[in-house]
């Protein structure tokens, strides 16, 4: 167990709806990264949050947005859901220091999103 | 764009044998690499990491080798056990580690 938790475990939404996924980082970690993992593929980087600000973004449209809270937990919001958004959404927490890179990322169990 | 790839999508080994999972990366600026294990229905589990200033690192029953000359990474698992059956991903990142790039994964099946 990594100490990273995600909720909900599973979610079914209809195309066009909005969804919010939540992640609690491991104790002592200050950075959260979100990934999308389609069935049978490797995780794809969505974005990273550090000090409550977006700190890097992958090739995802603006309808994917996020937040990080003072306790370092994070939310991923997806608007105008499309069928292709169906995937496992993973968050990973890590410790980033000002003078160094964080690197070691520990993943949560993921939220399985199905869009119909 | 830059990507991480794997030579073998599936690997079957006999229980007790050693396993070697390979990975090719294309970004010469990448300075940190991680191997993850992902079991069905779970998130990726950190196995071992290596920085670009090293060429070998050992853990418990696992060894990661890095060959920067040919941009190749491998994961060796000694005395493979049934519990090692999973999909293994290599991931790379460049300095200041914002964006980890994952390969497509290799499925390891351990035969009794």
């Amino acid at each position: 167990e990594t100490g990273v938790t995600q909720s909900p475990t599973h979610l079914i939404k209809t195309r066009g709806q909005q969804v919010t996924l939540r992640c609690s980082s491991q104790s002592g970690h200050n950075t959260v990264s979100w990934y999308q993992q389609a069935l049978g593929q490797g995780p794809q980087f969505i974005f990273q949050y550090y000090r409550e600000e977006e700190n890097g973004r992958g090739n995802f449209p603006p309808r994917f947005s996020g937040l990080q809270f003072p306790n370092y937990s994070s939310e991923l919001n997806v608007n105008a859901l499309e069928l292709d958004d169906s995937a496992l959404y993973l968050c990973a927490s890590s410790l980033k220091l000002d003078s160094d890179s964080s690197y070691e990322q520990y993943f949560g169990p993921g939220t399985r999103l199905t869009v119909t | 764009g830059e990507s991480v790839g794997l030579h073998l999508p599936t690997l079957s080994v006999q229980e007790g044998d050693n396993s070697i999972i390979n990975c090719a990366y294309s970004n010469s600026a990448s300075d940190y690499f991680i191997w993850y294990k992902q079991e069905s229905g779970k998130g990726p589990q950190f196995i071992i990491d290596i920085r670009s200033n090293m060429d070998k690192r050992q853990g418990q029953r696992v060894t990661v080798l890095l060959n920067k000359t040919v941009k190749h990474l491998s994961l060796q698992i000694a005395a493979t056990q049934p519990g090692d059956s999973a999909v293994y991903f290599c991931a790379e990142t460049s300095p200041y580690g914002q964006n980890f790039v994952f390969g497509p994964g290799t499925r390891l099946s351990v035969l009794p």
Side-chain angles (χ1 to χ4, degrees):
Chain A
E1 297 295 327
T2 63
V4 180
T5 61
Q6 292 185 244
S7 63
T9 304
H10 296 86
L11 200 55
I12 300 175
K13 289 286 189 178
T14 303
R15 187 172 49 186
Q17 286 187 315
Q18 178 266 343
V19 68
T20 297
L21 310 181
R22 295 176 175 83
C23 172
S24 292
S25 60
Q26 183 168 308
S27 177
H29 286 181
N30 59 7
T31 303
V32 173
S33 301
W34 285 92
Y35 292 81
Q36 180 194 67
Q37 186 176 25
L39 195 63
Q41 298 182 19
Q44 299 291 313
F45 177 73
I46 303 175
F47 44 54
Q48 182 184 85
Y49 275 83
Y50 169 61
R51 290 185 172 177
E52 301 178 50
E53 293 187 355
E54 188 177 290
N55 182 48
R57 188 180 184 94
N59 188 26
F60 281 81
R63 60 189 185 85
F64 285 79
S65 63
L67 287 172
Q68 186 180 32
F69 300 99
N71 67 354
Y72 306 120
S73 65
S74 177
E75 288 183 354
L76 164 65
N77 300 290
V78 187
N79 294 322
L81 283 167
E82 301 177 359
L83 296 179
D84 286 349
D85 295 334
S86 295
L88 181 68
Y89 288 85
L90 297 160
C91 80
S93 78
S94 57
L95 175 63
K96 180 179 287 292
L97 304 175
D98 288 339
S99 60
D100 198 2
S101 306
S102 54
Y103 295 162
E104 288 187 28
Q105 290 194 38
Y106 295 92
F107 283 85
T111 293
R112 172 71 62 187
L113 173 65
T114 302
V115 182
T116 62
Chain B
E2 305 285 4
S3 64
V4 174
L6 296 174
H7 296 307
L8 300 174
T10 60
L11 178 65
S12 296
V13 298
Q14 291 293 138
E15 181 178 354
D17 287 351
N18 296 334
S19 303
I20 299 176
I21 301 172
N22 296 302
C23 176
Y25 66 96
S26 58
N27 186 354
S28 57
S30 292
D31 69 339
Y32 181 66
F33 306 85
I34 299 179
W35 279 101
Y36 286 96
K37 171 187 179 183
Q38 187 172 26
E39 298 174 284
S40 182
K42 297 183 179 180
Q45 175 188 350
F46 179 98
I47 301 174
I48 192 168
D49 59 356
I50 189 168
R51 297 189 185 276
S52 59
N53 61 354
M54 306 171 67
D55 53 20
K56 180 179 180 179
R57 191 164 187 221
Q58 290 184 293
Q60 185 178 10
R61 280 202 307 119
V62 295
T63 301
V64 55
L65 299 177
L66 175 63
N67 185 330
K68 296 181 288 293
T69 301
V70 295
K71 298 178 189 172
H72 185 266
L73 192 69
S74 68
L75 176 69
Q76 300 178 1
I77 304 173
T80 311
Q81 303 170 359
D84 295 328
S85 293
V87 177
Y88 289 80
F89 293 98
C90 64
E92 63 174 314
T93 189
S94 51
Y96 304 105
Q98 295 169 357
N99 182 18
F100 276 85
V101 177
F102 282 73
T106 292
R107 180 172 298 281
L108 176 65
S109 295
V110 181
L111 306 174

